[in-house]
Amino acid sequence: MATNASNTADNAVGTQRVKRGMAEQLKNGVIMDVVTPEQAKIAEDAGAVAVMALERVPADIRKDGGVARMSDPDMIDGIVEAVSIPVMAKVRIGHLVEAQVLEHLGVDFIDESEVLTPADEAHHIDKWAFTVPFVCGATNLGEALRRIAEGAAMIRSKGEAGTGNVVEATRHMRSIRAEIRRLGTLDEAELFGAAKELRAPYEIVKEVATLGKLPVPLFSAGGVATPADAALMRQLGAESVFVGSGIFKSGDPAKRADAIVQATLHYEDPGVIARVSRGLGEAMVGINLDDLKDSERYAGRGW
Amino acid sequence: MNRRVRPFLTARPTIGVLALQGDVAEHLHVLEQMDVRTAKVLGPDQLDTVDALVIPGGESTTMSKLAVRYGLLEPLRKRVGAGMPAYGTCAGMIMLADRLLGGIDGQETIGGIDMTVRRNAFGRQTESFEAAVPVEGVGEEPFDAVFIRAPWVESVGPEVTVLGRVPGPDEAGRIVAVRQGGLMATSFHPELTGDARIHRLFVDIVKGHA
């Protein structure tokens, strides 16, 4: 990487604007889970706007069981080397040292993720303490605003990762958006009450009520397996889509990745979605959520 | 300065924002506060309807790939070549560069500005930064510039006017804002900061006033 002529005392790194600004640059795109440099290349060639580097995709984490942790630094380095687009990677909820390691490795974004086994049952990471931006999952508005208060620069739905079933992501997107709309109808006094109910700082609640949206980008993740799933998330208000197991657990990953990129972009055009949905081969099998035990559900992780 | 831009006959020109990827909504939001019509440009048909184009920030390699794949690259080159004003931020600056360093194999640009741009020149995200950058033609007050995995301009041809450089002790500072006739580019993102001066300058260029 080129050294710069500019890192003087006057130039501020890791500011709120620099972190949220990075999240804004990823909008209208698709972020794909990859476990090898080869997969990362396929994702990049298909038009992914970033890749999420991890050791096992959520579907395999489910299958294998055990404690799921941050990836091996060699594996992260391999993916950073393989692609030119931004690289994200996951840390366990509350595991600040895994986050310090990823920041040291130079990843562009950290996902404090419920897909990995939580390391802290009460606290998330203080994300203001980092230069690298963070994305966190949320199932509802209160959770989203608590994560933003802790310094998250992007919020995503949690969905039920690794199932190929989009129903949970739909629930989270609808819940977050509906609660934002409701805030817009409240008067000043009621906003204080809402902050209490949401267990979130009043200042952020007030900001969301005024803006009519989160102060950071809202993306969707969890269970997206088809182009139509991706377009559904966009129509429900997601500004971009994360695709986890859905691509590399399918029959023809390169073709499916390209189709999901197109559907995410042309999410309001059923003609495009129909065209790119043809002949994609096997989608990932998928799991009916009623078949999951509570201990196997990821969306409930996070506090 | 090269001023080949013809004044438009329409009082309220339509300024499109290339919507293949990136912070499209932020540019639309700034432009909507001005006396212009706005449109998202996703395909060649929409490109035909606009008088000028903003190319947003985002991931330049993705934007370039999608422009090729969806048949937009040649129409974009044709319009820019025929004098359509355009303004690019960050990835958009890369798209308007005649020459690119640090891109991926086969990364195509629209071109138009006689400059060599180095992609991700300031480093990865942990090196992204904010700085006060004086910009020529938009008043004394320096611009609060946000640089995200940003490019810089390594060299420019004789027709290009340098509008801004990153401050700093080294050399004369890297070039981060340029203009060539109706084409403008910045390494940083005015659309993220609520300071509309550069967009206003672009609208003046489009209307033939600057």
Side-chain angles (χ1 to χ4, degrees), chain B residues 182-205:
Chain B
L183 303 177
M184 240 173 50
T186 58
S187 302
F188 53 91
H189 296 272
E191 72 278 13
L192 294 178
T193 51
D195 185 338
R197 286 179 291 162
I198 291 180
H199 285 81
R200 200 162 293 128
L201 171 61
F202 181 61
V203 168
D204 283 345
I205 291 173

Side-chain angles (χ1 to χ4, degrees), chain A residues 167-248:
Chain A
V167 65
E168 281 290 307
T170 302
R171 193 203 320 273
H172 305 161
M173 290 305 299
R174 282 208 179 272
S175 167
I176 291 168
R177 298 265 298 170
E179 289 179 278
I180 291 172
R181 281 193 295 273
R182 189 182 77 90
L183 284 188
T185 68
L186 303 184
D187 69 19
E188 286 292 321
E190 289 166 335
L191 282 177
F192 286 101
K196 203 164 65 182
E197 282 168 33
L198 291 166
R199 296 191 287 133
Y202 166 77
E203 289 69 27
I204 300 181
V205 172
K206 168 83 178 156
E207 188 181 8
V208 171
T210 308
L211 288 174
K213 64 188 198 65
L214 297 181
V216 303
L218 173 62
F219 289 14
S220 179
V224 171
T226 67
D229 288 349
L232 173 65
M233 292 299 116
R234 294 296 313 268
Q235 290 200 21
L236 292 176
E239 293 170 294
S240 281
V241 180
F242 286 85
V243 186
S245 321
I247 289 173
F248 291 100

